Amino acid sequence: MNRSHPRVLVLGGGFAGVGAAHKLEHADAEVVLVDRHDYHTFQPLLYQVATGLLETTAVGHSLRDLVERHDNAAVHQATVTAVDLDAREVHFDVLEPITYDYLVFGLGAQVTFFGTKGAAEHAFPMYTLPHAVHLKDHLLERWEAADHDPTLIEDGALNVVVVGGGPTGVETAGAVAELYRGDFTKDFPTITPEQARVILVEAGPELFSMFKPKLREYAANALAERTVEVKTGALVASVSPTRVTLKSGEELQAHTLVWGAGLQGNELVKDLGIELQRGDRIGVGADLTLPGHPDVFVVGDVAAITDTETQQVLPQLGSVALQSGEHAGETIARRIAGKKTKPFAYHDKGTMAMIGRGAAVVQMLGGRTMTGKKAQAAWGSVHLALLPTNEDRAKAVVDWAGSAFTHQRSGRITVGSE
Ligand SMILES: Cc1cc2nc3c(=O)[nH]c(=O)nc-3n(C[C@H](O)[C@H](O)[C@H](O)COP(=O)(O)OP(=O)(O)OC[C@H]3O[C@@H](n4cnc5c(N)ncnc54)[C@H](O)[C@@H]3O)c2cc1C
C-alpha cells in the first residue's frame, strides 16, 4: 500500500474500539475510527438513563472528544455495510471504501428476540442510548396518560414486564421498581403500588444463573423487597402493545415489555464468510486475530475469546471488551515498532450486578462474594474505572450522590420535539 504510515482501521467506538485507539495514540500509524454514532455508549449504565437517574451525557461521550489529543487519529460517523477481508477493504453507507493494513473489528453485539412474535415491533430493548431514552419517555408518557385517564390503569398501562433474569433484566427491574415506589409515588399520589406492577420473567429455573446460590437468594429477596414479582421457568410467546402472553397461556396486562434477554454478534459477521461460534461470535486466536488473517483483530462482545486460564469463552462484559481492545491496539503498535508481542491474558475483576440502591452482588474469581452496600461500592469503583474520561466519572458520581441524598431522579422528564 502506498502510504507513509500503516493504516489501522478501528470499527466500532465501544469499549473495545476506544480501548484499541487509546493504545495506538503514540504508534507510527494512521488510525481511523468509525462508528455509526458520534458518541461512545456506556451500556452498563443505560438502565439508569431509562429510569431517570443519569442524564444522557453521563452515558454517551463524544468519540471525537475521546481521541482529540491523538495526533494520528481521525473519527468518522458512518455505518459499516460490508467488510471485504480478501481485498482488505471496508464499505460504508456514507463514506468511500477504506482500505487497511490492520483492522480492529469491534462492532459489538445486537439484540435478538429469538423470533418472539411481536417483540421486534413492541418490545423495548436495552442496548443503545436511544433505547434507554425511548423506554424512559414511554414510561413517563404512560404515567401521564394514566393521570389523565385512570381507566388505562386497569388495562395495565403502568405494568412493566422485564424479560431476562441476567444482570440487564434484574438491574432494570430493580431500577424501575425504585422509580415507581419512590418518585412516582410522590409524583402521582392517587395511584397505589398494586396498580403499577413490575414483573420479571425468566425462561430458566432461576435468576442470576452465573452467581452462587447465596447471591441468587440475596437477589431474589432484594427484588421482593422492591415489590418486583418474579416468574421463573416462564417464556414469553408473544407481545402486543398492551399484552404479554406467556408460553403457558397466561396473559399479562402490560403496556411495556423491556427486553433484557438475548444477544448475538453484529449482523455483519454473517457475511464475512467465516465459521461462527455460539451466539454468532467470531472465534479468535490467543493474540485476538482472526485465524488466517493475522492483521485482523476481533475484540469485545463480537469476539469469542477463550480464557487462557479457564479455557472457557469469556463473557460479554465491559472489562473483557476494554482489555481485549487495549490488547489489540498495543499488539498492533508493537508490531509496527518491530517489537515482540504477547498473547492476551484477561484480568478478571469479578462478576457483579446491581439490584437497587444499596443492593448489589459481587463474585470474585477466587470465590469470595459480597452483597449490599459493600458490593455496591465495588460495583461503583469497577464501573467508574470503565467510564472513558474523568469528566464522565465526575458526572456519574455527582448524579449518584445527588440521588443517594435526595432519593430523586432528576432525569425523569420528557424532552421531545414540539
Ligand atoms: C444494558 C446492559 C448492561 C450491561 N451491564 C454491564 C455491566 O454492568 N458490567 C459489564 O462489565 N458489562 C455490562 N454490559 C456489557 C458491556 O456493556 C459490553 O460487553 C460492552 O459494551 C461491549 O463493548 P464492545 O466495544 O464490544 O461493543 P459495543 O459497546 O456494543 O460497541 C460497538 C460499537 O459499534 C458500533 N456499531 C455497531 N454496528 C455498527 C455498524 N454497522 N457500523 C458502524 N458502527 C457500528 C456501535 O454504535 C457501538 O458504538 C452491559 C450491556 C448492556 C447492554
Side-chain angles (χ1 to χ4, degrees), residues 170-326:
V170 171
E171 284 175 347
T172 308
V176 170
E178 285 187 349
L179 171 70
Y180 271 29
R181 309 301 173 228
D183 298 87
F184 281 180
T185 306
K186 284 181 249 146
D187 293 347
F188 303 93
T190 56
I191 297 171
T192 61
E194 306 75 55
Q195 291 176 305
R197 298 166 63 197
V198 182
I199 306 157
L200 179 61
V201 175
E202 160 61 35
E206 51 206 342
L207 304 177
F208 272 176
S209 55
M210 66 293 284
F211 289 108
K212 289 184 168 189
K214 67 174 180 187
L215 297 187
R216 285 185 221 149
E217 199 184 318
Y218 173 88
N221 290 337
L223 286 170
E225 272 169 29
R226 287 162 179 76
T227 69
V228 175
E229 301 167 41
V230 175
K231 285 180 185 290
T232 50
L235 260 170
V236 174
S238 67
V239 190
S240 77
T242 57
R243 297 288 179 272
V244 176
T245 308
L246 302 182
K247 211 162 175 207
S248 62
E250 185 181 357
E251 190 181 75
L252 302 168
Q253 290 182 307
H255 291 200
T256 312
L257 175 90
V258 183
W259 195 268
L263 288 180
Q264 64 183 29
N266 190 292
E267 61 193 350
L268 283 172
V269 301
K270 291 188 183 137
D271 299 325
L272 290 177
I274 55 173
E275 205 181 310
L276 298 174
Q277 295 203 9
R278 194 161 166 243
D280 286 347
R281 289 159 84 183
I282 300 174
V284 290
D287 60 353
L288 307 182
T289 62
L290 181 62
H293 297 268
D295 302 328
V296 177
F297 292 77
V298 185
V299 287
D301 273 6
V302 72
I305 304 169
T306 304
D307 190 352
T308 40
E309 281 205 5
T310 63
Q311 300 307 314
Q312 303 284 318
V313 172
L314 290 169
Q316 287 162 303
L317 286 176
S319 43
V320 176
L322 183 66
Q323 289 179 37
S324 61
E326 287 180 344

Side-chain angles (χ1 to χ4, degrees), residues 11-17 34-37 39-47 78-81 106-109 126-127 167-168 171 263 266 268 299-302 316-319 321 352 379 383 386:
L11 303 181
F15 290 113
V34 187
D35 196 290
R36 60 155 65 109
H37 298 126
Y39 55 86
H40 163 82
T41 305
F42 193 85
Q43 288 175 346
L45 296 180
L46 284 176
Y47 79 93
T79 296
V80 179
T81 53
L107 291 176
M126 274 290 285
Y127 205 67
T168 300
E171 284 175 347
L263 288 180
N266 190 292
L268 283 172
V299 287
D301 273 6
V302 72
Q316 287 162 303
L317 286 176
S319 43
M352 47 194 76
W379 181 95
H383 287 82
L386 281 172

